[in-house]
Amino acid sequence: MLGLFVLVIIAGALPRLRNRERVRRETRDLAIPFVTIVRPDRSAPAQDIVLPGNVEAFANAPIFARANGYLRKWHVDIGAHVSKDQLLAEIDVPELTQQLQQARSTLAASEAQLRVAEATAKRYTELRQTHAVSQQEVDTAVGALQTNQGTVAANQASVRQLEQQVAFAQVRAPFAGIITARNVDVGDLINAGSSTAAGTALFQIAQPNKLRVYTSVPERSATAVTPGMAATLSLAAFPDRRVAGTVVRSANAIDPTTRTLLVEIEVPNPTKTLFSGTFAEVRLAIPTTQGVFTVPVEALLFRNEGLQVATVVGDRAVMKSIVPLRDFGDRIEVGSGLTGDELVILNPPDSIANGSPVRVAPPSMPILSKR
C-alpha cells in the first residue's frame, strides 16, 4: 500500500518538475535577445558638402571725391558700362582754381627773378676775370642765383600739386566695369572723403565678368579643400542650373570664432547674367580617407566610455568604441574603430554589455526594440 502511495506521488510530481524545467529553459532562452545586424558600408571616395556662399564681383570699389566743391555734372548712372579712366562726374572747385592761378603767378615772378640772377652771376663772373669786381661780389651773385633756383623749383612743385588737385575735379573710373550705385546729384556739396567716412562715395563700380564666391568650410574638412578643386553653385535665380567654379585660394587659417576656413571660389561670368551680392549654395566634393565606414545612427550607443557600437561575435556581443567624423542624418561616418567586417547590431538594448549573449534574428523575423 505504501509503495502505491509513493508511485502516485512520483507520478504527480514528475510532470510538475518537467514543466518547471521547461519554464526555466524558456525563460533563459527569452532572456537572450534577438538582434538584427548590418555590415558597415565603406564611404564613397568623395562626400559632397553643401555650404552657404556669398557672391561678389571680382573687383568692387566705391569711388570717392579727392576734391571739395559742388557737383557740376554727372555723366553715368546705374547700370552703365564704363571703361577705365572714363569721365564719370565733374566738380566745381573755384578755390583750387584760384590757388592754382596764384601759384602760377608766383612761379612766373620767381622765374623772372631767376633770369636776373643768372644774368648777374654771369656778368660778375666775367668781370672777375678783369679784376673789376671782388670775389666776394661774385660769390654773392652765385648764391643769389642758387637761392632763386631753389625758389623756382619749390614754386614749380606747388603748381604741379595744385594742378593734380584740380584734375581731381574730374572723377574717372579706376577700372572697366558697371556702375552699381550713384549717390550724388547736380548741386550736391562734395567733400573729399575715403572709405573711413560713411556716405561720401559718389559711385560704386563693379567688374562682373568674373565673380568671387566666399564660403566657410568646417574645420574637419578644411585640410581637404585645396586650390584647383572643382565647386558647383546653385543660385535662387537659376534653380535648374548648376554653375561651375574653381577653388582658387583659402585663408590658410581657421577662424577661432567660427572654427571654419574661409575659401574663395572663382566663377567665370562672361555673359554677366550672374549678379554679385546674391546668395549661393556651394557644393564641394570632399575626398574621404581610406578605412572610413558609415553605420546607421540606430546602431549608436552613448556610454560613459564614449560613442560605441555593439557587434556580434559568435553568440556574444562585443562592444567597440568608435570615432565619428561626419553626421549625414540617417548615417554617421566612422573614422576609426571598425574594420568593415563586423556584424553591427541595430537598435541594441540599453542593457547590452560586452559579452552579453545575443541571437541573430532571421531576416523575416520582426524585432521589437528593447530599449
Side-chain angles (χ1 to χ4, degrees):
M1 189 68 180
L2 179 60
L4 181 61
F5 179 72
V6 172
L7 289 176
V8 171
I9 292 176
I10 292 175
L14 282 177
R16 287 196 296 270
L17 291 174
R18 292 193 188 97
N19 289 336
R20 184 178 301 174
E21 179 61 25
R22 181 175 55 82
V23 170
R24 186 181 297 113
R25 187 172 56 254
E26 291 178 355
T27 302
R28 186 174 58 251
D29 291 342
L30 289 175
I32 302 175
F34 281 96
V35 294
T36 55
I37 57 173
V38 294
R39 289 189 181 274
D41 291 331
R42 187 176 296 276
S43 292
Q47 294 285 348
D48 287 347
I49 60 173
V50 180
L51 304 169
N54 296 317
V55 181
E56 298 182 11
F58 189 79
N60 189 12
I63 300 176
F64 296 91
R66 293 292 305 277
N68 298 323
Y70 290 93
L71 189 69
R72 179 194 306 164
K73 186 176 182 181
W74 52 265
H75 297 275
V76 295
D77 210 338
I78 60 172
H81 293 253
V82 298
S83 57
K84 188 178 185 300
D85 294 328
Q86 181 175 333
L87 182 62
L88 306 181
E90 300 175 55
I91 303 173
D92 270 330
V93 286
E95 295 87 352
L96 281 177
T97 302
Q98 292 296 325
Q99 292 175 18
L100 177 59
Q101 291 177 354
Q102 181 179 356
R104 284 172 174 167
S105 299
T106 302
L107 174 61
S110 62
E111 288 174 340
Q113 294 176 355
L114 176 61
R115 288 191 294 271
V116 173
E118 288 174 342
T120 301
K122 181 180 179 181
R123 184 167 59 253
Y124 273 53
T125 301
E126 293 174 349
L127 291 175
R128 177 59 183 161
Q129 302 299 325
T130 61
H131 301 284
V133 296
S134 66
Q135 184 63 41
Q136 178 68 35
E137 291 174 313
V138 174
D139 292 342
T140 301
V142 172
L145 171 62
Q146 294 174 344
T147 299
N148 282 277
Q149 288 174 337
T151 301
V152 169
N155 290 334
Q156 287 175 340
S158 296
V159 169
R160 288 194 297 270
Q161 178 184 11
L162 288 170
E163 286 176 343
Q164 185 61 59
Q165 291 180 354
V166 171
F168 286 146
Q170 292 187 334
V171 181
R172 298 183 179 275
F175 51 80
I178 297 176
I179 301 298
T180 60
R182 175 178 63 84
N183 303 318
V184 291
D185 213 334
V186 174
D188 285 349
L189 176 62
I190 306 300
N191 294 314
S194 65
S195 58
T196 59
T200 57
L202 278 64
F203 301 92
Q204 188 83 17
I205 185 173
Q207 197 174 66
N209 59 329
K210 191 184 296 182
L211 299 176
R212 305 175 190 262
V213 181
Y214 292 97
T215 188
S216 296
V217 178
E219 183 176 358
R220 62 176 177 268
S221 302
T223 56
V225 179
T226 56
M229 177 182 291
T232 305
L233 275 64
S234 299
L235 304 172
F238 305 97
D240 299 328
R241 178 181 172 187
R242 296 295 178 266
V243 181
T246 305
V247 175
V248 291
R249 62 185 59 86
S250 71
N252 286 322
I254 298 297
D255 187 330
T257 303
T258 61
R259 299 299 176 187
T260 58
L261 173 71
L262 182 63
V263 172
E264 179 184 334
I265 299 169
E266 188 174 289
V267 178
N269 187 31
T271 60
K272 300 180 178 62
T273 55
L274 306 179
F275 295 156
S276 61
T278 59
F279 170 82
E281 284 188 350
V282 179
R283 187 179 299 272
L284 295 171
I286 303 299
T288 57
T289 57
Q290 296 294 327
V292 175
F293 302 92
T294 62
V295 295
V297 294
E298 295 87 354
L300 302 180
L301 286 168
F302 298 90
R303 300 287 178 84
N304 293 332
E305 298 82 359
L307 193 62
Q308 292 184 327
V309 294
T311 64
V312 177
V313 178
D315 60 353
R316 299 287 174 173
V318 176
M319 309 303 297
K320 290 202 171 186
S321 297
I322 62 173
V323 177
L325 292 182
R326 288 178 291 180
D327 188 349
F328 300 114
D330 59 339
R331 303 184 70 84
I332 191 168
E333 191 175 60
V334 179
S336 62
L338 298 177
T339 63
D341 297 326
E342 294 86 357
L343 303 177
V344 179
I345 299 175
L346 284 178
N347 296 310
D350 289 334
S351 58
I352 197 169
N354 206 37
S356 297
V358 293
R359 289 182 291 178
V360 177
S364 59
M365 181 178 178
I367 298 299
L368 299 177
S369 174
K370 297 184 179 296
R371 291 185 180 274

